[in-house]
Amino acid sequence: MRTPIIVLFSLFVAALPAQGATVSFYGAGCTYQQPLAIGVQGLPQLGTTVGITYSGPNLNTSLQVQPVLALGLGANNIPIPSGILPQQPVGCSVWIDPIVLYPMPVTTTGLFATRYDFVVPNDPTLTGFVFVGQWLAIAVQCGFVPPCWLDALPTSDAALLTVGI
């Protein structure tokens, strides 16, 4: 009596499509001294490490430009007005609905880290989970004496990541 159940179960399991891990990019980064861009190294597969990389200005002087990784669950398109800050570039947009902001720490070189690695848990219930990421650079200008002021908030393009096996 168990044979039909085993056969039906094996047919059901074989019929389930395997969800592949994917990464796609959308939107456009703006330029503040140089263009900002997001990169992804590896695929968001269960139990693997994925690196999200930053390309753009990275300064830790009187002009400090600190990369901040924004992660969220949904795409968006909110333009940042160019006149909102003294050096705000044109063409910057918030391409995601951010939930988490992770400011990159200073490294031993004196610059900020440009890569964030995370491990995708080896949990099959995450298969098909979609999340988005984007880089924001916080530009702060300081003179010879305080105060310092927020100079610009340039942004990168965005990445849409689907967790798969």
Side-chain angles (χ1 to χ4, degrees), residues 100-128:
V100 175
L101 296 175
Y102 183 75
M104 299 308 287
V106 176
T107 66
T108 57
T109 65
L111 297 176
F112 296 98
T114 58
R115 179 183 169 114
Y116 181 78
D117 289 330
F118 67 93
V119 175
V120 179
N122 194 10
D123 183 348
T125 62
L126 292 175
T127 302

Side-chain angles (χ1 to χ4, degrees), residues 15-119:
L16 290 175
Q19 177 73 39
T22 62
V23 175
S24 59
F25 300 93
Y26 65 96
C30 57
T31 299
Y32 179 82
Q33 298 182 348
Q34 66 188 80
L36 276 74
I38 190 169
V40 178
Q41 294 179 339
L43 288 173
Q45 295 173 315
L46 298 177
T48 64
T49 300
V50 176
I52 299 181
T53 60
Y54 169 79
S55 175
N58 183 349
L59 301 169
N60 196 7
T61 59
S62 62
L63 173 60
Q64 185 180 64
V65 184
Q66 181 178 19
V68 176
L69 178 61
L71 297 172
L73 299 176
N76 208 332
N77 181 5
I78 302 170
I80 300 173
S82 60
I84 197 167
L85 293 167
Q87 297 296 316
Q88 181 65 35
V90 297
C92 298
S93 288
V94 178
W95 295 106
I96 72 170
D97 286 327
I99 294 176
V100 175
L101 296 175
Y102 183 75
M104 299 308 287
V106 176
T107 66
T108 57
T109 65
L111 297 176
F112 296 98
T114 58
R115 179 183 169 114
Y116 181 78
D117 289 330
F118 67 93
V119 175

